[in-house]
Amino acid sequence: MRDYDEVTAFLGEWGPFQRLVFFLLSASIIPNGFNGMSVVFLAGTPEHRCRVPDSANLSSAWRNHSIPLRLQDGRLVPHNCRRYRLAAIANFSALGLEPVRDVDLEQLEQESCLDGWEFSQDVYQSTIVTEWNLVCEEDWKTPLTSSLFFVGVLLGSFVSGQLSDRFIPESPRWLISQRRFGEAEAIIQKAAKMNNIAVPAVIFNPVELQELKPLKQQKAVILDLFRTRNLATITIMSLLLWMLTSVGYFALSLNSPNLHGDAYLNCFLSALIEVPAYIAAWLLLRTLPRRYIIAGVLFFGGGVLLLIQLVPADYYFLSISLAMLGKFGITSAFSMLYVFTAELYPTLVRNMAVGVTSMASRVGSIIAPYFVYLGAYNRLLPYILMGSLTVLIGIITLFFPESFGMTLPETLEEMQKVKWFRFGKKPRDSMDSEENPKVLVTVF
């Protein structure tokens, strides 16, 4: 049978039909941003300190010194989770003793926040943290709520995936691979009508269809993604690539309010940096080999994240700038994965491969809140981990086969081999087979 691109060449490349599908797909993504990032504010942790009840009858001096100080980022700040033992300081207050002058505060016994917390309302009026007191010993529940949210996204993707088959038309290319020629022809005719193009008298040659009908219809299952050693290797590397890139993307997004300065401004900048990232990804995909550009932006993103540990604590602007550049690189890579994965796999399992690897990215988003949580113990630890994992997955990307400028594979046997680094001179016949492959893999 003729090549699909040859059959549908009369439709043109960018008519009203193609634009409609493109904008429908784009519009469906917009609510995801609001829902996915709403947890940044819903689970925000404002400044807080132990509550000292009015019934304690403390003097103003002892009330002002009821919270011990701790060192944070080179400066002394009130402790979030401890206070001086209330019975002791109430006794000192009743005796007329003054803090610091009469009593050495460092020698006083401390206790936990037995009467709850006072939360600052400078940034947030109310969050799930303030409503449920998810601080101090309970602060581990905050990343859990974010992870459970993304678990819901993962489960919901099964339902939304079914609905999408009904807010979008099915791919004619896939329908043809399933021998559903009538449905494929109906969609092509509809596209031609929307593009105001005359439909050829014959779209699919009856003789070609007769030859294909006796063939057994292939059904793909998830295990087909691991059928051969080469295919299994590509699938496992793809799962790692999607998952770890997702960890970096969501961890940086969720960590935006923890950067120095206004939380809302930081989140705005984090969202704004994605615009040039997507534009850069689009331009790079048009002109350069896939695995090199994806590896390149991952190296860039991971590298600048690792540089943050070298920035002095007072240079907040520089740290924020490096975090945004890291988000730029990881976002560019994330957006390229959809194209790259679709080009690697043949028509029979293409949708399945993108779906399975996309599910791996959901696993990454479930893990990401715990990377942010590590910042409570060490401000630099999340950036060190994210940067290291991003550079590592960039190295793994170099082992993928290349798909730029090649035709899409139609069968599992047509998939290219994994690239491995070899040293020494290659045999001439090996070089010829690589320079002139019989099977090519291309752009959609």
Side-chain angles (χ1 to χ4, degrees):
M1 185 174 179
R2 289 171 297 158
D3 180 72
Y4 172 80
D5 294 323
E6 180 185 348
V7 173
T8 59
F10 69 92
L11 288 175
E13 294 184 356
W14 190 238
F17 177 80
Q18 290 93 331
R19 286 198 293 269
L20 175 63
V21 173
F22 173 79
F23 287 114
L24 284 175
L25 289 170
S26 299
S28 69
I29 298 299
I30 294 175
N32 290 350
F34 289 106
N35 291 329
M37 293 300 107
S38 63
V39 72
V40 167
F41 302 104
L42 293 176
T45 303
E47 291 291 330
H48 54 280
R49 55 187 288 179
C50 291
R51 185 187 305 280
V52 178
D54 294 335
S55 59
N57 292 323
L58 297 179
S59 66
S60 59
W62 275 107
R63 186 169 291 276
N64 291 335
H65 288 81
S66 60
I67 306 297
L69 300 179
R70 64 187 179 94
L71 193 65
Q72 178 181 331
D73 295 333
R75 58 193 181 95
L76 289 173
V77 297
H79 205 292
N80 293 328
C81 303
R82 306 292 293 175
R83 71 182 184 187
Y84 293 120
R85 193 164 69 86
L86 200 56
I89 61 176
N91 185 46
F92 292 141
S93 179
L95 293 173
L97 301 177
E98 292 292 323
V100 181
R101 188 188 71 183
D102 300 321
V103 179
D104 184 3
L105 296 179
E106 292 184 0
Q107 302 301 317
L108 291 181
E109 185 181 353
Q110 298 180 12
E111 63 185 7
S112 59
C113 301
L114 301 178
D115 296 293
W117 291 263
E118 293 178 354
F119 293 95
S120 168
Q121 293 186 326
D122 293 341
V123 180
Y124 307 109
Q125 292 297 311
S126 176
T127 69
I128 61 172
V129 172
T130 63
E131 291 292 321
W132 300 335
N133 291 329
L134 303 183
V135 291
C136 300
E137 293 84 2
E138 301 293 313
D139 63 352
W140 62 272
K141 294 180 180 178
T142 303
L144 177 63
T145 59
S146 302
S147 292
L148 290 176
F149 172 86
F150 288 113
V151 169
V153 173
L154 174 61
L155 298 177
S157 64
F158 291 103
V159 178
S160 60
Q162 296 298 317
L163 294 176
S164 67
D165 286 342
R166 286 154 181 78
F167 302 136
I168 305 296
E170 187 56 87
S171 164
R173 185 192 291 268
W174 181 82
L175 289 172
I176 292 171
S177 74
Q178 298 299 303
R179 309 298 188 263
R180 293 159 61 179
F181 302 107
E183 297 173 61
E185 187 163 338
I187 292 175
I188 293 172
Q189 288 177 342
K190 180 181 178 181
K193 184 178 180 181
M194 289 187 64
N195 288 355
N196 199 24
I197 294 172
V199 183
V202 176
I203 296 180
F204 300 114
N205 191 308
V207 176
E208 294 173 329
L209 297 184
Q210 266 320 89
E211 294 174 355
L212 290 173
K213 279 182 179 178
L215 297 177
K216 184 179 179 181
Q217 183 173 343
Q218 287 182 288
K219 292 290 184 182
V221 295
I222 290 181
L223 290 179
D224 286 329
L225 298 177
F226 302 89
R227 181 186 293 179
T228 65
R229 182 178 178 182
N230 180 63
L231 188 55
T233 303
I234 292 176
T235 300
I236 292 171
M237 291 197 305
S238 297
L239 292 173
L240 284 173
L241 178 59
W242 279 77
M243 184 176 71
L244 295 182
T245 304
S246 176
V247 167
Y249 174 82
F250 283 100
L252 285 173
S253 300
L254 295 174
N255 193 53
S256 299
N258 298 331
L259 298 173
H260 184 75
D262 185 80
Y264 294 95
L265 177 60
N266 291 336
C267 287
F268 172 75
L269 293 176
S270 179
L272 186 65
I273 198 66
E274 294 195 20
V275 177
Y278 291 133
I279 294 174
W282 172 61
L283 294 174
L284 291 171
L285 285 171
R286 289 170 61 90
T287 55
L288 296 173
R290 309 300 194 224
R291 61 195 183 111
Y292 293 126
I293 56 175
I294 294 176
V297 293
L298 287 173
F299 288 147
F300 173 78
V304 294
L305 291 179
L306 290 174
L307 287 177
I308 292 178
Q309 61 185 309
L310 304 179
V311 178
D314 294 334
Y315 287 67
Y316 300 115
F317 179 78
L318 183 55
S319 296
I320 293 174
S321 299
L322 290 176
M324 294 306 160
L325 288 176
K327 177 81 180 292
F328 172 89
I330 293 176
T331 300
S332 293
F334 205 178
S335 64
M336 294 178 191
L337 297 186
Y338 290 90
V339 176
F340 188 45
T341 304
E343 291 177 348
L344 287 176
Y345 288 88
T347 305
L348 184 65
V349 295
R350 183 169 297 125
N351 287 348
M352 184 188 300
V354 174
V356 169
T357 52
S358 182
M359 284 179 61
S361 77
R362 299 303 171 202
V363 175
S365 66
I366 293 170
I367 299 172
Y370 290 96
F371 278 71
V372 180
Y373 178 66
L374 292 174
Y377 298 96
N378 187 305
R379 180 181 65 90
L380 299 174
L381 189 56
Y383 298 109
I384 294 172
L385 288 176
M386 286 187 288
S388 301
L389 289 175
T390 302
V391 171
L392 172 65
I393 199 62
I395 296 173
I396 293 176
T397 304
L398 295 174
F399 292 94
F400 277 93
E402 186 51 66
S403 62
F404 177 64
M406 301 179 180
T407 55
L408 291 171
E410 297 292 342
T411 65
L412 296 174
E413 291 72 22
E414 292 179 2
M415 287 188 66
Q416 291 196 94
K417 303 295 182 184
V418 175
K419 304 288 184 182
W420 301 108
F421 294 116
R422 298 182 181 88
F423 298 95
K425 189 175 179 180
K426 296 181 182 178
R428 181 64 195 171
D429 56 348
S430 172
M431 295 175 64
D432 289 341
S433 63
E434 290 186 6
E435 293 173 1
N436 304 291
K438 293 181 179 178
V439 179
L440 303 173
V441 190
T442 28
V443 195
F444 256 134

